[in-house]
Amino acid sequence: MTDERPLSRFFRARVTAIADITPSFRRFTFGGPDLADYGDPGLDQRIKIVFPTAATPIDDMPTGEDWWTQWREMDEHRRPPFRTYTTRYVRNHLAEVDVDMVSHDVLGPASAWIADAQVGDEVLIYAPTTAHEGVSYGIDFVPPAHTDDILLAGDETAAPAIAVILEQLPAQARGVVVLEVPDEGDAAYLPAHPGFAYHVAARGGTRHEHLVAAVADAAGHLVPAGRGADVEEIDIDRDILWEVPRTAKGGAALKKAPLYAWLAGEAGAIKTLRRHLVTAQGVDRRAVAFMGYWRLGKAEV
Ligand SMILES: Cc1cc2nc3c(=O)[nH]c(=O)nc-3n(C[C@H](O)[C@H](O)[C@H](O)COP(=O)(O)OP(=O)(O)OC[C@H]3O[C@@H](n4cnc5c(N)ncnc54)[C@H](O)[C@@H]3O)c2cc1C
């Protein structure tokens, strides 16, 4: 008998627990019978969460196959807002899912919800189902089969994805993690991996100063300087900075590379890192995933 379930769909999820695991990371545990079928392809699996507001209850969200077109056609003020997050843990036997979210000062629908949410509140989560069979379009960690080192770098929004990747990499994997977080206490967020050196720092005066300097330093040690290649300029206030090299079938663009780098965070910082790694350092861009997870001064949708 063929499995006719969709590979991804909206799940109805109710907050069952809220825990502040470090000063900036708040873990939301969601439950509800629907989540028994929530898929867990792992790594940096991205999901969409629909947040309720006073004017836009989640029941107004179109949830059929054509949801994106229908949502776009809705009156702007009637559209339930959604934002992108990362699945942290899935416990299908308990019909539970954890998502770690960082609240920030400039309020958007997600940060407003994160600050006020209570046990019992409901959201919708668009995520893979258990029918995914290991294939998911929401995964962007696609390293070559053979690589000496892995560089995982980002700001706090990338930390949940980096945490899952570290937990799933084999013990013999080697590499460097660079993370910039809002608070010193957030350094405890990442799980330990025996093969990785950690450069985690709290944000100082200038945003992303640590991230950019530590990635440049790590790349300098991990790969011999190559011949820099020009990168086309991207207008990050207009276009999304999302460059994930892969083959037409979705696999890694290269079979072998000395370094595979996965970089995610504020688009301005990622753009700086892209220029640095590819143009100045000469790292092969087919071995680097650059992802602008959010843009300073700009809402996600
Ligand atoms: C693939 C992917 C995975 C992600 N996973 C996670 C995750 O697991 N956990 C997590 O916490 N975030 C994650 N993010 C980031 C999250 O989607 C954004 O931070 C989102 O914009 C928050 O929505 P909002 O409604 O609070 O703000 P928006 O309405 O989108 O923006 C409103 C204002 O807030 C600013 N802003 C948005 N995010 C931040 C921030 N983090 N710090 C400071 N200012 C900000 C914007 O620049 C804008 O000025 C992920 C993003 C992507 C693309």
Side-chain angles (χ1 to χ4, degrees):
M1 217 169 69
T2 54
D3 187 344
E4 292 187 350
R5 286 173 303 156
L7 295 180
S8 298
R9 68 172 173 86
F10 284 95
F11 292 85
R12 199 171 189 94
R14 185 181 289 274
V15 176
T16 58
I18 303 171
D20 286 325
I21 49 176
T22 71
S24 307
F25 290 95
R26 182 163 287 185
R27 175 160 300 163
F28 289 91
T29 299
F30 295 100
D34 213 13
L35 299 181
D37 187 37
Y38 188 105
D40 186 17
L43 300 171
D44 54 342
Q45 176 64 56
R46 63 173 179 272
I47 54 174
K48 302 279 182 205
I49 303 187
V50 183
F51 297 100
T53 70
T56 58
I58 53 171
D59 286 332
D60 287 358
M61 184 72 190
T63 56
E65 255 180 52
D66 206 18
W67 67 270
W68 172 244
T69 311
Q70 286 181 29
W71 183 86
R72 294 281 299 249
E73 284 167 356
M74 287 174 82
D75 181 301
E76 215 176 302
H77 305 289
R78 303 290 310 280
R79 291 176 187 162
F82 59 85
R83 295 290 183 266
T84 310
Y85 283 86
T86 308
T87 300
R88 184 69 180 88
Y89 291 114
V90 181
R91 294 176 292 278
N92 287 121
H93 60 296
L94 299 173
E96 277 183 359
V97 171
D98 292 340
V99 182
D100 293 346
M101 305 191 207
V102 182
S103 191
H104 53 90
D105 294 343
V106 190
L107 288 192
S111 44
W113 185 89
I114 293 164
D116 293 341
Q118 307 284 331
V119 168
D121 288 354
E122 283 192 319
V123 296
L124 294 176
I125 307 180
Y126 187 80
T129 66
T130 53
H132 69 82
E133 292 176 346
V135 180
S136 168
Y137 292 109
I139 290 181
D140 294 303
F141 180 81
V142 203
H146 304 283
T147 180
D148 299 333
D149 285 285
I150 294 172
L151 171 62
L152 300 169
D155 61 20
E156 61 272 28
T157 62
I162 293 176
V164 186
I165 293 169
L166 286 169
E167 281 167 354
Q168 296 190 342
L169 280 173
Q172 66 272 21
R174 293 284 170 273
V176 172
V177 178
V178 176
L179 186 69
E180 185 176 301
V181 282
D183 192 285
E184 270 179 28
D186 297 324
Y189 177 78
L190 288 181
H193 185 292
F196 276 73
Y198 287 66
H199 301 277
V200 182
R203 187 160 297 133
T206 311
R207 191 179 270 276
H208 298 128
E209 198 176 355
H210 166 73
L211 178 61
V212 172
V215 167
D217 186 54
H221 284 94
L222 293 173
V223 277
R227 285 193 309 178
D230 284 343
V231 283
E232 63 286 353
E233 277 299 305
I234 292 181
D235 180 353
I236 48 178
D237 290 317
R238 205 194 57 195
D239 302 318
I240 293 173
L241 172 51
W242 204 273
E243 212 174 279
V244 179
R246 43 169 106 234
T247 61
K249 285 190 177 164
L254 295 175
K255 287 198 178 108
K256 198 171 176 214
L259 173 72
Y260 174 70
W262 180 103
L263 313 169
E266 198 282 319
I270 301 301
K271 183 176 169 178
T272 304
L273 291 176
R274 179 171 172 266
R275 207 180 309 119
H276 186 88
L277 289 188
V278 179
T279 311
Q281 201 86 30
V283 175
D284 189 331
R285 66 196 285 183
R286 292 171 300 171
V288 190
F290 298 99
M291 291 158 290
Y293 266 21
W294 62 283
R295 175 69 186 128
L296 199 59
K298 200 165 172 267
E300 186 185 325
V301 258

